[in-house]
């Protein structure tokens, strides 16, 4: 891939911010058990770095949703690819996302966990918040960084399947 990338958040900046978010989450749950539900595939690096810093007993579960298809435009509909979760009734749940863009994906999974699974307490962490693109309200409890309209890649996030492995977050510059 010949595309040039500009760094938006360095590996160090991300590490520091993830550490701060984990501290906030530790403070809130105060030792109570939590089921972390990570939204695949984009949140994989964020979720794995975050849970390493959580101090309460943690179970890790995954759901796979897709809304972006193959390009850089949301198709406006959330496609549940795999929603297999254990029973969450009465549990504390932390949903972990890479980025909230239109908000449709986050709303879908939060409603699913709250309404269908009847989790007791549901909190939502996203590494990035593209607030300017929001189409539906999403309650974000833990937010890493705000970003503008740019399409970002790296640290789990992809463009056409590539760049997820980058340790930093960048954007494509022409
Ligand atoms: P939403 O449903 O429009 O909020 O989009 C959410 C999903 O689209 C995120 O979980 C990402 O996987 C993907 N996405 C949104 N914006 C970007 C971006 O700038 N880069 C890479 N993926 C993105
Ligand atoms: Mg995602």
């Amino acid at each position: 891939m010949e595309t040039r990338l500009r760094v938006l958040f360095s590996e160090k900046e991300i590490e520091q911010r993830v550490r701060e978010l984990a501290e906030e989450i530790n403070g809130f749950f105060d030792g109570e058990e939590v089921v972390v539900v990570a939204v695949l595939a984009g949140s994989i690096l964020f979720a794995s770095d975050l849970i390493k810093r959580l101090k309460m007993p943690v179970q890790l579960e995954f759901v796979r949703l897709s809304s972006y298809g193959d390009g850089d435009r949301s198709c406006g509909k959330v496609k549940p690819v795999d929603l297999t979760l254990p029973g969450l009734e009465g549990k504390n749940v932390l949903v972990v996302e890479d980025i909230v863009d239109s908000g449709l994906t986050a709303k879908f999974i939060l409603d699913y966990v709250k309404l269908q699974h009847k989790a007791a307490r549901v909190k939502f962490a996203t590494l990035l918040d593209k607030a300017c693109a929001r189409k539906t309200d999403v309650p974000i409890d833990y937010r890493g960084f705000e970003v503008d309209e740019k399409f970002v890649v790296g640290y789990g996030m992809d463009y056409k399947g590539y760049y997820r492995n980058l340790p930093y977050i960048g954007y494509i510059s022409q």
Side-chain angles (χ1 to χ4, degrees):
M1 303 214 83
E2 283 298 309
T3 330
R4 287 164 57 84
L5 290 182
R6 294 258 169 91
V7 178
L8 199 54
F9 301 108
S10 70
E11 196 174 355
K12 271 235 141 50
E13 286 174 292
I14 296 168
E15 191 193 312
Q16 175 58 30
R17 191 67 189 116
V18 171
R19 194 186 297 266
E20 289 166 3
L21 292 176
E23 270 169 31
E24 270 187 65
I25 295 166
N26 284 327
F28 179 79
F29 286 105
D30 196 23
E32 277 186 41
E33 196 166 317
V34 172
V35 181
V36 171
V37 174
V39 182
L40 291 174
S43 78
I44 181 157
L45 298 196
F46 175 43
S48 57
D49 284 345
L50 185 69
I51 62 169
K52 282 186 266 183
R53 307 208 173 276
L54 296 183
K55 299 211 168 89
M56 70 293 271
V58 164
Q59 286 183 49
L60 180 59
E61 297 291 338
F62 299 98
V63 289
R64 190 172 183 111
L65 302 167
S66 137
S67 79
Y68 254 67
D70 220 11
D72 61 2
R73 282 279 161 266
S74 175
C75 63
K77 262 175 75 181
V78 180
K79 196 170 93 192
V81 180
D82 182 2
L83 285 177
T84 316
L85 288 172
L88 298 173
E89 193 164 342
K91 304 228 172 169
N92 293 319
V93 174
L94 176 70
V95 175
V96 177
E97 252 289 32
D98 51 357
I99 179 166
V100 180
D101 185 19
S102 71
L104 295 173
T105 307
K107 184 174 169 25
F108 181 96
I109 188 61
L110 289 169
D111 283 352
Y112 180 71
V113 168
K114 284 178 191 166
L115 305 176
Q116 305 233 11
H117 272 274
K118 301 187 174 61
R121 262 200 307 196
V122 180
K123 292 280 161 182
F124 178 55
T126 183
L127 182 64
L128 301 182
D129 179 8
K130 211 189 264 186
C132 55
R134 202 59 34 83
K135 290 191 184 132
T136 181
D137 263 358
V138 176
I140 298 176
D141 301 293
Y142 307 101
R143 168 193 290 103
F145 305 99
E146 281 225 20
V147 289
D148 58 22
E149 280 280 19
K150 289 187 191 73
F151 192 82
V152 297
V153 294
Y155 198 66
M157 288 166 286
D158 76 307
Y159 176 63
K160 297 194 174 176
Y162 292 95
Y163 305 115
R164 290 194 198 276
N165 57 312
L166 298 178
Y168 60 89
I169 294 168
Y171 64 94
I172 297 166
S173 74
Q174 316 298 345

